[in-house]
C-alpha cells in the first residue's frame, strides 16, 4: 500500500487532481445502506437484464461465474464526501453482460434484492466503465458491501453502485431510482460535484 501523507494529492490518468472537489480520503471502507442487509444465498441468486421490448436475459450464479471476469483497481467517491483510493475488485464487465442483448435503450435502472434502485445512462455502463463485482480485496464480497454481487460504477458517486444487485432494466425513458427520487442528483458525477438535485 502506498503511504498517503496529509495533504497528498494524487494524479488522475489525465494528469489532474485525483481527489474530486469537496472529498476527503479515508483508508477504512465505510458501510452505507438505506435498510437492512439482505442475505442472498448464491443457490437462489439470479441476475436479470430486461430490455425495453420486455426480453429477458438471466444468469444464475453458476452461469455468471462462467463468464469472463476482470480484476479492477478503482477509486471510490461517496456523496457523503469520503473517497477511497485503489480498491481491488473482481467482476464481470457490463460489456460482457450486455454483449448479446439486443437493445437501443438509452436509460438503465439497476434493481437490488431489498428493493433499492438507481438509474444511469446505458452509455455509462459500457466501454469498461461498469462491472457486476463479486470479490473485494481477494475475498468473496461481504454482505454489508453488497455480496454476493454489486454493481460497480466508480466514475459516478457510489450510490449508483447498487449493492445486492439482481437486475438491470433497459428503458427508452429515464426513471429516477431510490436516492434520485429523494433529491440526489440524477447523474452524480463526482468531478462536477453533482451531489443533489440542481447541482
Ligand atoms: N442496495 C443498495 N445499494 C446501495 C445502497 C443501499 O442503501 N442499498 N447505498 C448506496 C450508497 S449511498 C453508497 S455510498 C454505497 C455504499 O457502499 P458501501 O456500503 O460498500 O461503502 O452503496 C450504495 N449502494
Ligand atoms: Mo452514499
Amino acid at each position: 500500500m502506498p503511504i498517503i501523507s496529509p495533504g497528498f494529492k494524487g494524479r488522475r490518468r489525465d494528469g489532474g487532481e485525483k481527489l474530486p472537489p469537496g472529498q476527503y480520503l479515508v483508508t477504512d471502507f465505510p458501510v452505507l445502506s438505506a435498510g437492512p442487509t439482505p442475505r442472498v444465498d448464491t443457490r437462489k441468486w439470479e441476475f436479470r437484464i430486461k430490455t425495453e421490448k420486455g426480453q429477458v436475459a438471466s444468469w444464475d450464479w453458476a452461469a455468471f461465474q462462467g463468464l469472463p471476469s476482470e480484476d479492477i483497481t478503482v477509486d471510490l467517491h461517496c456523496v457523503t464526501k469520503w473517497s477511497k483510493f485503489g480498491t481491488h475488485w473482481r467482476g464481470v464487465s457490463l460489456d460482457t453482460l450486455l454483449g448479446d442483448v439486443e437493445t437501443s435503450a438509452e436509460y438503465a435502472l439497476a434493481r437490488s434484492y431489498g428493493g433499492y434502485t438507481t438509474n444511469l445512462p446505458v452509455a455509462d455502463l459500457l466501454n469498461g466503465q461498469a462491472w457486476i463485482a463479486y470479490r473485494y480485496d481477494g475475498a468473496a464480497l461481504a454482505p454489508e458491501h453488497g455480496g454476493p454481487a454489486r454493481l460497480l460504477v466508480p466514475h459516478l458517486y457510489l450510490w449508483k453502485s447498487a449493492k445486492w444487485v439482481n437486475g438491470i432494466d433497459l428503458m427508452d425513458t429515464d426513471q429516477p431510482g431510490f436516492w434520485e427520487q429523494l433529491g440526489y442528483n440524477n447523474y452524480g458525477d463526482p468531478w462536477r460535484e453533482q451531489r443533489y438535485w440542481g447541482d
Side-chain angles (χ1 to χ4, degrees):
M1 285 294 287
I3 294 160
I4 297 168
S5 54
F8 170 84
K9 303 283 187 192
R11 296 274 142 192
R12 281 175 87 187
R13 260 182 310 232
D14 63 11
E17 196 60 57
K18 208 181 158 195
L19 192 63
Q23 297 292 111
Y24 64 88
L25 267 186
V26 298
T27 50
D28 61 334
F29 193 175
V31 173
L32 282 117
S33 306
T37 294
R39 303 282 157 171
V40 185
D41 189 331
T42 53
R43 285 170 299 186
K44 294 188 184 141
W45 183 89
E46 192 186 39
F47 181 75
R48 292 158 61 91
I49 294 178
K50 196 173 105 188
T51 73
E52 71 277 22
K53 298 220 167 97
Q55 287 169 327
V56 173
S58 70
W59 294 263
D60 63 12
W61 190 253
F64 175 72
Q65 295 291 307
L67 296 171
S69 61
E70 300 171 8
D71 290 312
I72 316 131
T73 300
V74 291
D75 301 340
L76 306 178
H77 310 295
C78 175
V79 70
T80 62
K81 301 200 168 176
W82 59 267
S83 289
K84 184 172 175 62
F85 286 168
T87 62
H88 301 291
W89 303 82
R90 186 166 188 85
V92 176
S93 170
L94 262 297
D95 294 309
T96 300
L97 290 158
L98 288 169
D100 292 330
V101 173
E102 222 178 276
T103 182
S104 54
E106 283 183 40
Y107 302 100
L109 185 74
R111 299 180 175 280
S112 297
Y113 289 100
Y116 185 86
T117 56
T118 188
N119 60 311
L120 63 174
V122 173
D124 288 79
L125 292 174
L126 298 173
N127 297 315
Q129 299 188 91
W131 297 266
I132 303 296
Y134 59 93
R135 291 180 71 77
Y136 173 75
D137 229 0
L141 180 59
E144 60 268 29
H145 286 299
R150 79 182 294 170
L151 183 60
L152 180 64
V153 194
H155 71 286
L156 300 176
Y157 281 126
L158 200 56
W159 88 79
K160 299 286 183 180
S161 294
K163 303 196 282 188
W164 317 296
V165 72
N166 68 356
I168 292 177
D169 291 353
L170 303 171
M171 307 171 303
D172 289 324
T173 53
D174 200 7
Q175 184 184 321
F178 177 79
W179 283 119
E180 293 83 3
Q181 290 175 56
L182 292 172
Y184 279 28
N185 191 271
N186 196 53
Y187 184 61
D189 181 350
W191 298 96
R192 288 187 277 165
E193 228 180 331
Q194 295 175 332
R195 298 178 195 277
Y196 305 109
W197 191 88
D199 283 349

